[in-house]
Amino acid sequence: MRTSSFGRCSTGELDLPENFGNSSPASGGHAYGAMLPVFLNDLRSNHHKELVEITLELEDDAVVLRNIAPAAVASSAPNASPSSSPAVGDHGGGGAIARSLSITSRIRRKFPWLRSMSSRTSVSSSESVAVVEDPVVSARNARKMRAKLERTRSSAQRALKGLRFISKSGEAREELWRRVEERFSLLAKDDLLAREDFGECIGMEDSKEFAVGIFDALARRKERKVSKITKEELRQFWLQISDQSFDARLQIFFDMADSNEDGKITREEVQELIMLSASANKLSKLKEQAEGYAALIMEELDPENLGYIELWQLEMLLLQKDRYMNYSRQLSTTSINWSQNMTGLRPRNEIQRLRRTLQCLALEYWRRGWVLLLWLVTTACLFAWKFYQYRNRSSFQVMGYCLPVAKGAAETLKLNMALILLPVCRNTLTWLRSSGARKFVPFDDNINFHKIIAFAIAVGVVVHAGNHLACDFPLLINSSPEKFSLIASDFNNKKPTYKTLLTGVEGVTGISMVTLMAISFTLATHHFRRNAVRLPPPFNRLTGFNAFWYSHHLFGVVYVLLFIHGAFLNLTHQWYKKTTWMYISVPLLLYIAERTLRTRRSKHYAVKIQKVSVLPGNVFSLIMSKPNGFKYKSGQYIFLQCPKISPFEWHPFSITSAPGDDYLSVHIRTVGDWTQELKFLFTEDEKLPSVNRRVTFGELVQMEQRGQPRLLVDGPYGAPAQDYQNFDVLLLIGLGIGATPFISILRDLLNGTRTIEELMVQESNTETTRSDESFNSFTSSILTPGGNKRSQRTTNAYFYWVTREPGSFEWFKGVMDQVAEMDHKGQIELHNYLTSVYEEGDARSTLITMIQALNHAKHGVDILSGTRVRTHFARPNWKEVFTKIASKHPYSTVGVFYCGMPVLAKELKKLSLELSHKTTTRFDFHKEYF
C-alpha cells in the first residue's frame, strides 16, 4: 500500500504522482483512474486560486480517497500532512471547510469507485469521523469497483453495438426521423400521439408492448404521468432512444424495469422485463419460465442477497456476455490466419485475375459443360443431317425449305423425347452415383437437365408443328399439278386437302400430342405447381402438386401416340427409315422397368410403424421397421405411399435414421392434403396412440400393430448429400425441415465415432497401438452393418440449422444432445439460428441474449432449444462462416450441402465460388430443394 498526497488543485497544473495517469491494469495500476487527474484539473474553472490537498491510498486493486483538506497558500511542501495544514482561505476557515466538503462530494459522485474495500476513515479538515460499513454492502461496493476498473475500452466499443432501440440501418438519423414525422402525422389526434401508438410511430409496430415500456420509462423522467405526447416531446424521446452513447441507452433499458425510480431493480421487476422481451420476440415458452430466469439473474448479480441490482450490475452482465459464451464458439478460434490462407493467391493484374476466374469457372462447371455441349452438338448434327436429307429430295421442289426445317425439328424431338426419360430413372441414377461416373456426370443436376430438355421439346414442337400447319401444308395443297406429280405416289396419286391432312393418322396423333404436352407443361410450371396461381372453383384443382403429378402421367399416352405418329409417315415408307422407335425404345423400356421394379419392391418393403412422435411446428416423425435387405446411405430419401389415402400418390421424404440403425425414420411436415391425412391417420386413430416424446438416439417404442394402416416404402434413392464421405470437411446447411437429410449424416458420423472408440478399446486390450491421427479423425476403416469396411476421409463437420420457429429445435433434440455428449474431439459443430428473434444487439433481444449466455455458462443448456447447442439470433453471416472455415481448413475440400429454399442457394453458391478463388480451400456446392 502506498499513500500519495496530491499537489494543490489551483489554476496551475496538478502536482500528481509521476506514474498515476499512465497506470494500467497490465502494470498493476488502474486504467479507470486515468480520468481522475482530468476531472481534478477541471475543478480549476470553478475554484480559482483555491488550494486543496488530496490524499489517495493506492493499493494493488484499489484507489481509496483518504482525505481532501484546504491547504495553506504559503505552504511549499507538496506533501505536507493534511492535519498540519491550517484551514485558511479567501473567506476564512469555515468557508474553506465547506468548499473542501463540496469538492469531496463532487469527486465521490463523479468517481464512485473511490471507496474503501473495508471500513475506512474519512477525514475532514480538522476532525476524523470513522464510518464502519456493513460487510454485505462493503462486498458489493468492492465488486462495483472491480467492475468499473475492468470496463476496458474494447468492451466499451463492443457495447456500442448493443442495446439498439432503433434497428441497425445505414440510413441517416435525419432520414429516419423524417419517417417518424410522417407516421406521427397519420397517427396523431389533435397533434397528440397516444401512448399505445408510440411503437408504430417509431417503427416498432411488431413490438408495441415493448415500445410502451420504453414510453413509460422516458415519461417517468418528466416526473409526471403522461399518456399522450406532442411532436416536440416525441422528438425528445426519439433523440434519447437513438443516442449513440451506450451509457444513455443502458440507462433507458434500466429505467424500463425500474418502475419506482429508486435506482434498484428487484426480482419481480426483472421478471416483468423478461416477459416484455419474450412477448416482443413471440417466445411463449420463455415467457412461461420468466420467473426462473429472473431468479437466475438475481443469483448471478446479487450474491449478497440484498434483493436488488443496480445499473452497474446490469452493465457488467451485458459486457461479460461474450466471456460466458466463448467456449461454445469453436469457429472463432482458427488454426491458420485468414490472411495467411490468402497469401500469394491474389491476382496481381487483370490478366491473372481473369485467368484465375476462368480456371475456377472451368473447375466448377466442366462436368455440366461437356454434357450440355455434347447434347447441343448431337442435336445440331441431327437437325443438319435431316435438313440436308430432305433438301435433296423431290418433295423439296413442292414445299421448299418449310419441309426440311420441320423434318429437322422432328429428328431433334425424337432424341429429346428419349433423353427426357433418363433423368427421372431414379434407380439407375442412384446406382450411377455410387460408380466412377459421378466424377464426370453431374447427377445432382438431373432435374435441371430434365427441364432443359423439356424446353427444347417445346421449341421443337413449335418449329415442327408450326412449319407443317402454316407453311408446307398450304404449299402442298396449293401446288401445281406438275410439282405435285413429283410426290403423287406418296399420297396414292390423290392431292390431299387441308382437312384430310389434319384428320389423317399423322394429323390426329400430332394434334393430340401437342394438346397433351401443352397441358402437362403448363401444370408443371412453377406458378401452377406451387399454387401461386389462384383460380376459382372448380378450376383450383388444376394447381398444386397433385395436378402436376397426374398431368405428367399423360406422357404415357403421348409416347403411344408418338409411336403411331412415327409409323404413319406420308413421305417415308421403308420401316427401317421410320426411326422413331429406334430412339424411344431403350429409354422407354428402362423407364417401364424402373416403374415395375418400384411397384414390386414397394410391396416387398411394406413396413410397420413402431413409433409416432407429434412435434412442434406441424411436424411429426415416423419410426418404422427396417425391411429385410433394405440398404441405404446417409443423405438418401425414400418414397412413401399409404393406399388408404391414395393408391397412386408417392411422396419423397429424407431418411433421418443412420444406415447402422435397425429401424427407418422420417420427419414429415404437414404442408399438403396428403401429409395432413397421413398425420390424422396415425395420430388421431385410437388404436395408434400419439407419442409426444422426442426421438432419441437408438430408442424404439413398440406399438400395437392390429388395425394399423398399410404403409409402403420405395427406395432408397440417391441425393447430393449421400456423397459426403468424399470430402475432407462438411458444411451442412438446412432451412427448417430442410435439416432432415443431414440428421442421418450426423447420426452416421456418431456411429463412426463410437465404432472407432470401440475398436480402440479392443486394440488397447490386445496391446496393439494406433496412431493418434487416425483416432482424432473420421478417416479410418469402419465396419458397416454388413461386415464390409468403408473408408472415410471426413475430418470435421459443421451443421447450420436456420429456422423461424423455436419449436423446431424439439425435432432433433436427442440427436443434438448426443453429438455434444459423444463428440469428445470437437469434430462436429452444431449451430442453431432462430430468425424470428430480433438480432443480437437489438434492445428487444438483449435481455434474452444475456439470459441465454448466463444459463449456458452455468448449466450448459440453451434456453430456446433445450440442448447443449447454443441458439444464435437472426440469420448467419454466411461470408463470415465460409471465411472462417477456409482459414481453419486450408488445402482442404469442403463439401457444402444445402437443403432449403432456392433463394439462399444462389448466395451460397456464389460464396463457394468466391472463396474457392481467393483461398487454398475448395468449396464444392451441392443443393436440393424441398
Side-chain angles (χ1 to χ4, degrees):
M1 179 179 70
R2 292 173 296 155
T3 301
S4 300
S5 180
F6 279 42
R8 299 171 178 82
C9 179
S10 67
T11 54
E13 292 296 328
L14 286 171
D15 183 14
L16 302 177
E18 183 177 350
N19 64 339
F20 186 79
N22 298 325
S23 59
S24 64
S27 61
H30 310 284
Y32 201 81
M35 292 299 298
L36 182 60
V38 178
F39 177 75
L40 294 177
N41 280 322
D42 288 341
L43 292 177
R44 292 176 304 169
S45 59
N46 296 322
H47 297 273
H48 301 288
K49 307 285 185 184
E50 297 176 6
L51 304 178
V52 292
E53 205 161 36
I54 302 172
T55 303
L56 297 179
E57 187 174 291
L58 305 181
E59 296 183 352
D60 292 337
D61 61 348
V63 180
V64 182
L65 180 63
R66 294 293 308 220
N67 181 61
I68 299 179
V73 178
S75 176
S76 60
N79 295 323
S81 173
S83 59
S84 65
S85 302
V88 295
D90 295 338
H91 303 288
I97 293 174
R99 284 191 296 274
S100 67
L101 292 175
S102 172
I103 293 173
T104 301
S105 63
R106 290 181 61 189
I107 292 177
R108 288 191 183 277
R109 285 199 305 269
K110 182 67 178 179
F111 298 95
W113 47 270
L114 286 171
R115 296 178 182 174
S116 172
M117 295 183 61
S118 61
S119 300
R120 297 289 185 184
T121 302
S122 178
V123 183
S124 60
S125 60
S126 60
E127 60 180 355
S128 299
V129 180
V131 180
V132 180
E133 294 181 311
D134 183 90
V136 175
V137 176
S138 178
R140 173 166 287 199
N141 287 337
R143 288 200 307 117
K144 182 177 182 179
M145 180 178 60
R146 285 195 299 269
K148 293 292 184 181
L149 292 173
E150 289 174 2
R151 184 183 178 182
T152 62
R153 178 175 297 181
S154 60
S155 64
Q157 287 295 327
R158 289 196 302 271
L160 289 176
K161 302 177 182 179
L163 269 179
R164 296 189 308 272
F165 291 98
I166 305 302
S167 297
K168 190 176 182 181
S169 174
E171 296 179 275
R173 294 174 65 186
E174 293 76 11
E175 175 63 22
L176 293 174
W177 168 246
R178 186 184 62 79
R179 296 183 182 180
V180 173
E181 285 184 308
E182 292 175 356
R183 289 191 286 264
F184 178 86
S185 302
L186 297 174
L187 299 171
K189 296 179 180 179
D190 299 328
D191 292 330
L192 293 175
L193 180 69
R195 172 174 173 266
E196 295 75 17
D197 297 328
F198 179 71
E200 184 177 354
C201 188
I202 65 173
M204 285 190 179
E205 55 273 1
D206 295 333
S207 313
K208 291 186 177 181
E209 189 177 347
F210 190 86
V212 167
I214 299 174
F215 181 95
D216 292 341
L218 297 175
R220 283 194 291 269
R221 297 182 176 183
K222 293 181 173 291
E223 298 182 354
R224 59 187 177 90
K225 189 173 182 180
V226 179
S227 60
K228 296 181 180 181
I229 56 175
T230 63
K231 186 175 181 180
E232 181 57 33
E233 290 174 321
L234 174 64
R235 173 69 174 175
Q236 294 175 7
F237 282 12
W238 171 261
L239 291 176
Q240 292 179 69
I241 62 177
S242 60
D243 198 317
Q244 296 299 310
S245 167
F246 170 73
D247 292 328
R249 299 197 302 269
L250 178 65
Q251 187 66 59
I252 296 174
F253 192 72
F254 184 87
D255 292 344
M256 289 177 65
D258 185 20
S259 56
N260 57 2
E261 302 180 84
D262 62 350
K264 303 173 183 177
I265 299 180
T266 63
R267 185 184 62 79
E268 291 76 14
E269 290 174 325
V270 172
Q271 181 178 340
E272 286 295 325
L273 190 57
I274 292 174
M275 295 179 67
L276 205 61
S277 299
S279 176
N281 291 278
K282 300 177 178 60
L283 299 174
S284 56
K285 185 177 179 181
L286 182 64
K287 200 171 182 179
E288 296 170 359
Q289 300 173 345
E291 184 177 356
Y293 291 129
L296 180 67
I297 290 180
M298 296 302 293
E299 178 186 346
E300 174 70 13
L301 300 184
D302 183 28
E304 302 85 10
N305 293 320
L306 294 177
Y308 64 88
I309 59 175
E310 299 173 281
L311 178 66
W312 66 268
Q313 292 162 292
L314 189 66
E315 178 187 27
M316 180 182 68
L317 180 61
L318 181 63
L319 295 181
Q320 294 181 353
K321 171 181 68 68
D322 290 338
R323 189 183 71 182
Y324 286 127
M325 299 305 298
N326 272 345
Y327 74 95
S328 66
R329 293 186 177 180
Q330 299 95 329
L331 273 180
S332 62
T333 305
T334 54
S335 57
I336 298 179
N337 234 330
W338 162 238
S339 59
Q340 291 178 351
N341 198 3
M342 296 182 64
T343 302
L345 297 178
R346 296 186 181 91
R348 298 179 180 178
N349 53 51
E350 291 296 331
I351 296 178
Q352 290 183 346
R353 185 180 293 111
L354 179 61
R355 185 180 64 180
R356 181 163 182 80
T357 300
L358 292 176
Q359 288 176 346
C360 293
L361 289 175
L363 186 65
E364 177 69 20
Y365 293 107
W366 74 269
R367 293 187 301 170
R368 299 182 184 95
W370 83 262
V371 171
L372 287 176
L373 183 62
L374 178 62
W375 171 68
L376 289 172
V377 169
T378 304
T379 302
C381 290
L382 287 174
F383 182 91
W385 170 65
K386 190 59 65 172
F387 181 93
Y388 178 79
Q389 189 181 73
Y390 275 84
R391 171 67 178 78
N392 296 319
R393 293 181 62 169
S394 56
S395 54
F396 177 77
Q397 305 298 324
V398 180
M399 289 173 275
Y401 282 99
C402 297
L403 182 61
V405 171
K407 291 299 183 179
E411 202 68 17
T412 64
L413 281 172
K414 297 174 189 178
L415 173 67
N416 290 328
M417 288 296 288
L419 291 179
I420 200 170
L421 294 172
L422 298 180
V424 292
C425 291
R426 295 188 180 93
N427 288 290
T428 303
L429 292 182
T430 301
W431 173 70
L432 289 174
R433 280 178 182 274
S434 302
S435 67
R438 70 172 184 270
K439 299 178 181 179
F440 309 100
V441 181
F443 294 111
D444 294 348
D445 294 318
N446 62 317
I447 298 301
N448 289 333
F449 189 53
H450 180 78
K451 293 178 180 178
I452 291 173
I453 296 175
F455 178 78
I457 289 174
V459 173
V461 166
V462 171
V463 174
H464 177 71
N467 273 277
H468 276 326
L469 296 175
C471 189
D472 56 36
F473 281 8
L475 289 174
L476 174 61
I477 62 176
N478 294 317
S479 61
S480 62
E482 293 79 11
K483 286 187 177 182
F484 179 74
S485 62
L486 298 174
I487 56 174
S489 59
D490 294 326
F491 295 92
N492 297 321
N493 297 313
K494 184 178 180 180
K495 191 175 185 180
T497 64
Y498 203 89
K499 181 179 179 180
T500 57
L501 290 173
L502 294 180
T503 56
V505 176
E506 273 191 301
V508 171
T509 55
I511 293 173
S512 299
M513 283 190 294
V514 171
T515 304
L516 294 176
M517 283 193 288
I519 295 173
S520 181
F521 285 0
T522 301
L523 298 184
T525 57
H526 176 80
H527 289 83
F528 277 89
R529 185 164 48 89
R530 294 289 185 178
N531 272 321
V533 178
R534 300 299 178 185
L535 298 176
F539 300 104
N540 58 343
R541 294 179 177 270
L542 297 176
T543 61
F545 181 82
N546 285 342
F548 155 75
W549 176 257
Y550 288 117
S551 65
H552 250 54
H553 286 76
L554 294 175
F555 269 92
V557 180
V558 170
Y559 278 100
V560 173
L561 294 175
L562 183 59
F563 272 108
I564 299 173
H565 186 82
F568 291 86
L569 299 177
N570 290 320
L571 301 178
T572 304
H573 304 286
Q574 294 88 350
W575 67 271
Y576 57 87
K577 292 185 178 180
K578 298 178 180 180
T579 56
T580 302
W581 66 274
M582 298 180 186
Y583 285 95
I584 305 298
S585 297
V586 174
L588 189 60
L589 287 174
L590 177 62
Y591 183 77
I592 292 173
E594 287 235 354
R595 295 302 295 263
T596 303
L597 174 64
R598 180 173 182 170
T599 303
R600 295 179 63 86
R601 184 171 57 185
S602 63
K603 293 179 180 179
H604 176 68
Y605 284 163
V607 296
K608 295 180 180 180
I609 304 300
Q610 296 177 331
K611 179 180 177 182
V612 180
S613 296
V614 179
L615 303 170
N618 292 324
V619 172
F620 67 101
S621 70
L622 297 178
I623 292 186
M624 303 163 281
S625 60
K626 189 175 182 179
N628 293 328
F630 188 90
K631 297 180 180 180
Y632 63 94
K633 296 181 179 180
S634 293
Q636 292 184 332
Y637 64 96
I638 56 176
F639 278 87
L640 294 181
Q641 184 198 76
C642 184
K644 191 172 182 179
I645 299 176
S646 172
F648 305 107
E649 292 187 43
W650 290 87
H651 293 266
F653 299 100
S654 296
I655 304 173
T656 54
S657 55
D661 296 334
D662 55 356
Y663 61 90
L664 282 178
S665 69
V666 294
H667 285 67
I668 302 173
R669 188 163 197 168
T670 53
V671 292
D673 296 339
W674 191 88
T675 53
Q676 288 175 356
E677 292 183 31
L678 186 68
K679 180 181 179 181
F680 178 83
L681 196 62
F682 283 106
T683 61
E684 302 297 331
D685 194 329
E686 294 180 357
K687 296 181 180 179
L688 294 171
S690 171
V691 181
N692 291 302
R693 292 187 294 108
R694 291 171 295 275
V695 182
T696 57
F697 194 61
E699 178 188 12
L700 293 178
V701 178
Q702 295 298 325
M703 295 182 60
E704 180 64 41
Q705 302 298 331
R706 290 177 297 175
Q708 188 181 98
R710 193 181 182 200
L711 193 64
L712 304 180
V713 174
D714 177 43
Y717 291 111
Q722 77 173 55
D723 298 324
Y724 75 92
Q725 295 177 357
N726 298 323
F727 299 94
D728 303 317
V729 180
L730 299 180
L731 176 56
L732 311 174
I733 302 171
L735 264 59
I737 197 65
T740 51
F742 310 127
I743 296 301
S744 178
I745 294 176
L746 296 178
R747 289 178 184 268
D748 197 26
L749 292 176
L750 282 177
N751 284 341
T753 302
R754 186 164 57 184
T755 303
I756 292 175
E757 292 176 352
E758 292 174 354
L759 292 175
M760 285 292 296
V761 172
Q762 294 175 2
E763 293 184 2
S764 175
N765 292 336
T766 57
E767 298 183 356
T768 58
T769 59
R770 173 177 296 208
S771 67
D772 290 337
E773 181 181 358
S774 64
F775 177 74
N776 289 334
S777 71
F778 295 119
T779 309
S780 60
S781 295
I782 300 177
L783 292 176
T784 62
N788 298 323
K789 289 187 176 181
R790 68 184 182 194
S791 178
Q792 288 183 297
R793 57 182 276 192
T794 304
T795 58
N796 292 87
Y798 303 90
F799 176 50
Y800 283 79
W801 187 9
V802 185
T803 181
R804 287 190 55 83
E805 301 173 4
S808 302
F809 300 125
E810 295 283 332
W811 303 347
F812 310 113
K813 182 176 180 179
V815 177
M816 290 189 286
D817 278 336
Q818 292 198 6
V819 168
E821 180 181 350
M822 297 175 60
D823 182 34
H824 304 296
K825 298 298 179 181
Q827 294 163 314
I828 303 176
E829 290 187 15
L830 306 180
H831 300 267
N832 295 336
Y833 281 82
L834 186 63
T835 58
S836 60
V837 176
Y838 292 99
E839 64 180 346
E840 295 181 15
D842 193 296
R844 287 165 287 189
S845 64
T846 295
L847 192 58
I848 297 174
T849 306
M850 293 160 62
I851 295 171
Q852 183 193 49
L854 185 59
N855 192 73
H856 205 286
K858 280 184 169 289
H859 308 299
V861 177
D862 183 75
I863 63 172
L864 297 179
S865 67
T867 69
R868 302 182 187 183
V869 182
R870 186 166 79 92
T871 301
H872 305 263
F873 299 147
R875 291 173 175 80
N877 184 337
W878 293 116
K879 187 169 185 178
E880 180 180 347
V881 170
F882 274 74
T883 55
K884 287 181 177 178
I885 291 178
S887 62
K888 194 172 183 179
H889 303 283
Y891 304 101
S892 299
T893 302
V894 180
V896 183
F897 296 95
Y898 168 73
C899 183
M901 302 299 290
V903 178
L904 180 58
K906 297 179 181 178
E907 179 183 353
L908 297 177
K909 184 175 182 179
K910 180 180 178 181
L911 284 171
S912 298
L913 287 172
E914 180 182 340
L915 270 296
S916 296
H917 297 174
K918 295 180 179 179
T919 70
T920 59
T921 306
R922 183 190 171 194
F923 292 87
D924 197 348
F925 180 71
H926 305 266
K927 65 179 183 299
E928 54 183 305
Y929 301 140
F930 55 77

